[in-house]
């Protein structure tokens, strides 16, 4: 049989395959978050006990993706870590890791949502409520926003002072049942439960009270200044 | 193509310059996408390489560009003809896919075997799905959060599937020197063509008028 010259014979299986994949992709976009959450709940116990680490290679459940915007980030220990609080405040301060550990801690279980769509459900977080540090700093009347700095040397983020005072914004010292690891932004990072992940500054080194929000790293690259999660 | 000089030419023209160019650009863009995807997805690589925004930009724009050479290829008649061949499955294609002895030549294969046809369709469809889901992830204003989560889910799985398709494609190419030569130089030896793509070789080598080889 000749399929050369003239119209090739046979059913257009190629076209049907392409259209079928497009339908599958569309269904996955609409229903994928439901499937993913089901898989994540089912596989979380397996993934956390898998000694081979193979399960984590596949996009089966929900896993953190590690963002770093610079080439390399220095490692800070309990001995070298410092958090400075500065700006429009009455009482500038510098905290060491033991200082922060000695303060009253808040624990919460809450989801981590990246603005691009990946999410990790029911993450255990613990740390010092940001509002406690703000109260100690005594912001002046002009202070309307809080700016975070990272010891990666590049990353900054801001939120309004009223957002920063919400009880679900913490200076996190622990996550996932242990100290915040370096890759997760440790030893100290921000966690803002009601906002997208880009507001939860990793490798936190500074908290500065400002007049007006200063656009940060991702805002300069197109993300909204208000990172509140809206469905 | 040149008019059929009687049997047994040593080389047959398999891919035009336009087709080889489309293949080369697509392959380059695909490799860029895969390498940057590995950095974006694998946690230890993400931290080691860092510079997330730059890696992301390279990935996204290589991805946006990925369908472009295939669309530009449509300007070439040879490319369109091969696309039509890849699209159509004959009954013997289904037999070839089911056969355990498909490589022995008893099922006469046209310019593309059924596996190549399937790979082409799956890769093309997956590229379009990756493009669509990638757009939703890159421009968060386009869709609500649950759709972006779905887009990430789809993008992850389709990326894994495309990665496997590309690996398979490369593995088959490594095993077949003459097939590689066809894509590199455009020509293949007539003996290879008669062994691997008998129906096609018959047509271009001897001419389609000699139709007595119907199974």
């Amino acid at each position: 049989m000749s399929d050369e010259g003239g119209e090739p014979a046979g059913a257009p299986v190629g076209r049907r395959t392409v259209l079928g994949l497009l339908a599958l992709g569309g269904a996955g976009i609409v229903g994928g978050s439901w499937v993913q959450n089901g898989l994540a709940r089912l596989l979380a116990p397996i993934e956390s006990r898998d000694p081979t680490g193979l399960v984590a290679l596949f996009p089966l459940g929900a896993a953190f993706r590690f963002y770093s915007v610079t080439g390399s980030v220095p490692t800070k220990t309990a001995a070298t870590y410092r958090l400075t609080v500065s700006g429009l405040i009455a009482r500038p301060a510098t905290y060491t890791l033991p200082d922060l550990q000695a303060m009253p801690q808040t624990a919460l279980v809450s989801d981590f949502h990246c603005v691009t769509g990946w999410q990790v459900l029911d993450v255990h977080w613990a740390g010092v409520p940001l509002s406690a540090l703000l109260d100690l700093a005594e912001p002046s009347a002009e202070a309307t926003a809080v700016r975070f700095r990272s010891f990666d040397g590049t990353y900054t983020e801001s939120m309004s002072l009223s957002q920063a005072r919400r009880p679900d914004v913490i200076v996190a010292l622990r996550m996932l049942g242990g100290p915040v690891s370096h890759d997760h932004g440790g030893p100290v990072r921000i966690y803002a439960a009601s906002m997208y992940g880009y507001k939860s500054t990793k490798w936190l080194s500074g908290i500065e009270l400002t007049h007006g929000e200063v656009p940060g790293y991702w805002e300069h690259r197109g993300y909204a200044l208000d990172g509140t999660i809206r469905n | 193509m040149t008019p059929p000089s009687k049997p047994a030419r040593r080389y047959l023209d398999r891919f035009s310059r336009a087709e080889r160019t489309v293949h080369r650009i697509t392959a380059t863009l695909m490799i860029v996408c895969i390498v940057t995807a590995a950095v974006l997805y694998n946690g230890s690589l993400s931290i080691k390489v860092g510079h997330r925004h730059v890696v992301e930009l390279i990935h996204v724009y290589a991805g946006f560009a990925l369908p472009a050479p295939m669309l530009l290829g449509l300007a070439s008649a040879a490319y369109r003809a091969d696309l039509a061949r890849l699209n159509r499955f004959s009954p013997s294609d289904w037999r070839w896919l089911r056969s355990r002895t498909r490589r022995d030549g008893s099922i006469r294969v046209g310019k593309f075997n059924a596996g190549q046809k399937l790979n082409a369709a799956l890769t093309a469809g997956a590229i379009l799905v990756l493009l669509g889901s990638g757009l939703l992830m890159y421009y968060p204003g386009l869709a609500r959060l649950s759709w972006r989560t779905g887009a990430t889910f789809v993008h992850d799985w389709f990326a894994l599937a495309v990665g496997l398709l590309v690996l398979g494609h490369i593995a088959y190419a490594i095993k077949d020197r003459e097939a590689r030569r066809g894509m590199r130089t455009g020509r293949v030896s007539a003996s290879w063509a008669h062994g691997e793509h008998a129906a096609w070789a018959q047509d271009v080598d001897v001419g389609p008028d000699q139709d007595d080889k119907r199974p």
Side-chain angles (χ1 to χ4, degrees):
Chain A
M1 55 163 290
S2 165
D3 64 339
E4 310 304 318
E7 193 70 10
V13 173
R15 186 191 309 153
R16 286 176 199 159
T17 304
V18 170
L19 293 176
L21 287 178
L22 286 175
L24 191 65
I29 288 169
V30 175
S33 98
W34 182 79
V35 177
Q36 175 110 57
N37 292 348
L39 275 176
R41 292 230 152 84
L42 207 69
L43 290 169
I46 302 171
E47 195 164 339
S48 61
R49 272 170 229 154
D50 173 23
T52 62
L54 283 175
V55 178
L57 282 180
F58 292 92
L60 286 167
F64 275 95
R65 297 170 198 209
F66 296 89
Y67 286 25
S68 167
V69 302
T70 58
S72 72
V73 182
T75 300
K76 300 265 182 180
T77 63
T80 56
Y81 180 78
R82 298 288 183 276
L83 172 65
T84 59
V85 183
S86 62
L88 304 172
I89 53 176
R91 296 174 185 278
T94 299
Y95 297 90
T96 63
L97 190 55
D99 291 341
L100 294 170
Q101 284 162 338
M103 297 175 75
Q105 307 284 306
T106 297
L108 56 151
V109 178
S110 186
D111 307 338
F112 187 94
H113 290 283
C114 177
V115 68
T116 63
W118 64 266
Q119 56 186 24
V120 184
L121 304 183
D122 304 331
V123 183
H124 289 252
W125 304 90
V128 181
L130 179 57
S131 61
L133 291 178
L134 295 174
D135 288 343
L136 289 172
E138 296 177 15
S140 70
E142 310 94 85
T144 60
V146 179
R147 186 178 197 209
F148 305 105
R149 282 178 202 283
S150 167
F151 60 78
D152 73 2
T154 299
Y155 202 90
T156 62
E157 264 304 335
S158 282
M159 59 181 70
S160 75
L161 185 52
S162 58
Q163 286 174 335
R165 284 191 186 280
R166 289 177 51 119
D168 63 2
V169 182
I170 64 171
V171 174
L173 309 178
R174 298 175 65 80
M175 68 182 280
L176 301 166
V180 179
S181 70
H182 178 263
D183 289 357
H184 277 300
V188 179
R189 68 175 294 171
I190 293 291
Y191 173 65
S194 59
M195 298 187 195
Y196 288 119
Y198 66 93
K199 290 289 176 185
S200 294
T201 305
K202 291 165 77 169
W203 301 298
L204 183 70
S205 65
I207 297 172
E208 182 189 359
L209 277 284
T210 58
H211 183 73
E213 288 176 67
V214 183
Y217 183 85
W218 286 111
E219 282 83 28
H220 286 297
R221 291 158 181 84
Y223 287 162
L225 193 55
D226 179 2
T228 306
I229 297 167
R230 291 170 221 285
N231 294 307
Chain B
M1 266 164 238
T2 49
S5 59
K6 279 306 146 189
R9 274 181 294 173
R10 289 191 56 210
Y11 294 101
L12 304 182
D13 288 327
R14 185 159 169 82
F15 292 117
S16 70
R17 179 176 295 274
E19 289 175 297
R20 285 177 280 141
T21 308
V22 167
H23 180 263
R24 198 158 295 167
I25 298 173
T26 304
T28 307
L29 290 171
M30 180 60 94
I31 287 166
V32 170
C33 281
I34 289 174
V35 170
T36 48
V39 174
L40 294 172
Y41 187 79
N42 180 287
S44 47
L45 281 178
S46 302
I47 292 290
K48 214 166 283 167
V49 176
H51 299 289
R52 183 151 191 111
H53 185 60
V54 179
V55 179
E56 181 186 301
L57 279 181
I58 297 170
H59 180 78
V60 162
Y61 282 94
F64 287 167
L66 196 48
M70 289 182 264
L71 292 175
L72 291 173
L74 290 173
S76 145
Y79 182 89
R80 287 198 304 275
D82 277 354
L83 213 53
R85 289 186 179 105
L86 288 167
N87 184 24
R88 299 281 169 176
F89 270 57
S90 66
S92 70
D93 282 327
W94 295 113
R95 271 192 289 123
W96 188 90
L97 280 177
R98 279 193 302 267
S99 164
R100 282 164 180 269
T101 55
R102 59 178 80 98
R103 299 281 176 188
D104 68 3
S106 61
I107 300 172
R108 289 163 55 78
V109 172
K111 185 163 184 179
F112 301 106
N113 67 42
Q116 294 172 313
K117 293 179 181 183
L118 216 49
N119 179 57
L122 290 172
T123 306
I127 284 174
L128 293 178
V129 171
L130 287 168
L131 179 68
S133 53
L135 279 169
L136 295 187
M137 293 156 74
Y138 192 62
Y139 298 106
L142 290 178
R144 50 196 288 204
L145 179 60
S146 81
W147 285 30
R148 273 177 270 150
T149 303
T152 304
F153 175 72
V154 166
H155 206 82
D156 286 354
W157 280 102
F158 272 75
L160 189 67
V162 162
L164 293 176
L165 286 173
V166 170
L167 278 182
H169 182 68
I170 292 172
Y172 279 112
I174 287 173
K175 280 197 288 191
D176 193 334
R177 192 161 173 271
E178 199 59 21
R180 290 205 307 279
R181 187 225 291 267
M183 194 42 93
R184 200 175 61 246
T185 67
R187 297 201 311 165
V188 291
S189 73
S191 59
W192 177 86
H194 280 287
E196 297 287 330
H197 300 274
W200 170 72
Q202 174 77 24
D203 284 350
V204 286
D205 201 4
V206 185
D209 46 336
Q210 193 183 337
D211 213 358
D212 57 341
K213 285 281 155 59
R214 251 188 124 81

